[in-house]
């Protein structure tokens, strides 16, 4: 129980610290670059838009509805990218020849801007959930893949040799040694992929679906609704920070349980 409370306290402290840093950078950059108050809204402006204005209830409903759609879209891209990264990383580790065949494709997806790939993705998958999953998955795939491959290949050579000495196959060594040793890298890939999945969702909403915060921000800019723009940015940023902290808390809890 004490360990759970300590972990929760650390998570909350890290969350508050992250919010404080983001807020300080937000206010500081607006002042340094002397952004017009008409365009650059500060924390108090967003607070008023969501909680103090006469139509704040409608504003909250709008932002929360868009955020819910964006989180759903990000979840689809996150799941698609992480699943693809995990499968490909396992194939790379067990069958080295597969890496030579598939890594150029992964590099291609990484090097070509998603904005350039978007028309092709929309032509193939349409403008619905499949396109969202494809765009988000592309953003998530490469960093998660590299992190997972590194983790799977960081297994102790001595432990791998022990499995082979006792008659185990390469697959046995992978299952009993490589996979457990890659757990920290897996959680690192989860943390790194959260902002990537949100970025992919925002791009997909802007370029394909016309829903969520991604489209809402573009629409608000065209109508000079800058309070709504900044409120949407704040909502996505807070969601990213909270999800990152939750993944870190889960990792810490598992490490305590396993004694690692």
């Amino acid at each position: 129980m004490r360990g759970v409370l300590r972990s929760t306290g650390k998570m909350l402290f890290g969350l508050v610290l992250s919010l404080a840093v983001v807020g300080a950078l937000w206010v500081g950059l607006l002042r340094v670059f002397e952004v017009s108050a008409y365009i650059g809204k500060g924390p108090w402006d967003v607070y008023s838009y969501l909680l103090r204005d006469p139509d704040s209830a409608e504003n909250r409903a709008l932002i929360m509805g868009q955020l819910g759609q964006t989180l759903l879209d990000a979840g689809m891209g996150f799941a698609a990218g992480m699943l693809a990264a995990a499968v490909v990383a396992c194939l790379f580790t067990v069958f080295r020849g597969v890496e030579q065949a598939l890594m150029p494709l992964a590099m291609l997806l990484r090097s070509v801007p998603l904005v350039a790939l978007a028309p092709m993705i929309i032509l193939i998958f349409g403008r619905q959930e499949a396109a969202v999953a494809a765009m988000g998955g592309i953003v998530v795939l490469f960093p998660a893949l590299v992190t997972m491959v590194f983790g799977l290949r960081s297994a102790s050579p001595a432990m791998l040799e022990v499995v082979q000495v006792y008659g185990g196959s390469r697959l046995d060594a992978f299952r009993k040694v490589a996979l457990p040793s890659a757990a920290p890298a897996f959680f690192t890939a989860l943390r790194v992929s959260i902002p990537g999945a949100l970025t992919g969702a925002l791009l997909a909403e802007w370029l394909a679906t016309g829903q969520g915060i991604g489209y809402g921000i573009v629409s608000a800019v065209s109508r000079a609704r800058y309070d709504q723009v900044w409120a949407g940015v704040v909502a996505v940023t807070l969601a990213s920070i909270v999800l990152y902290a939750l993944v870190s808390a889960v990792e810490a809890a598992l490490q305590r349980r396993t004694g690692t």
Side-chain angles (χ1 to χ4, degrees), residues 236-252:
V236 172
T237 303
L238 289 176
S240 179
I241 293 173
V242 170
L243 291 173
Y244 186 96
L246 287 176
V247 171
S248 299
V250 171
E251 180 183 12

Side-chain angles (χ1 to χ4, degrees), residues 113-140:
L114 187 57
V115 175
L117 290 175
M120 185 182 303
I121 294 173
I122 294 172
L123 286 175
I124 296 173
F125 297 104
R127 293 181 176 272
Q128 300 303 319
E129 289 79 4
V132 173
M135 291 187 190
I138 289 173
V139 176
V140 169

Side-chain angles (χ1 to χ4, degrees), residues 16-196:
V16 171
L17 181 61
S18 298
L19 293 176
V21 171
V22 171
L25 288 174
W26 179 3
V27 174
L29 290 175
L30 286 178
R31 292 183 178 179
V32 167
F33 291 101
E34 299 180 349
V35 180
S36 168
Y38 177 71
I39 297 175
K41 304 299 181 179
W44 180 254
D45 298 312
V46 174
Y47 175 79
S48 298
Y49 175 80
L50 295 175
L51 296 174
R52 292 176 57 88
D53 290 350
D55 53 353
S56 59
E58 297 178 3
N59 296 336
R60 287 196 305 272
L62 173 64
I63 296 299
M64 294 308 296
Q66 292 177 346
L67 178 61
Q69 181 63 49
T70 297
L71 290 177
L72 178 62
D73 294 338
M76 289 189 292
F78 180 83
M82 289 297 296
L83 179 61
V87 172
V88 175
C90 292
L91 290 175
F92 282 4
T93 306
V94 178
F95 306 104
R96 294 300 179 94
V98 176
E99 181 175 2
Q100 299 177 357
L102 295 184
M103 184 56 80
L105 177 59
M107 292 292 294
L108 175 65
L109 294 176
R110 177 64 175 176
S111 59
V112 178
L114 187 57
V115 175
L117 290 175
M120 185 182 303
I121 294 173
I122 294 172
L123 286 175
I124 296 173
F125 297 104
R127 293 181 176 272
Q128 300 303 319
E129 289 79 4
V132 173
M135 291 187 190
I138 289 173
V139 176
V140 169
L141 175 62
F142 189 80
L145 174 62
V146 171
T147 304
M148 289 183 183
V149 170
F150 176 80
L152 289 170
R153 290 180 177 172
S154 64
S156 170
M159 295 299 296
L160 295 174
E161 291 177 2
V162 168
V163 176
Q164 295 176 357
V165 167
Y166 281 92
S169 64
R170 177 184 297 179
L171 186 60
D172 292 328
F174 173 79
R175 179 169 53 87
K176 296 181 179 181
V177 178
L179 278 179
S181 67
F186 174 77
F187 278 101
T188 300
L190 287 178
R191 291 196 299 270
V192 170
S193 299
I194 287 172

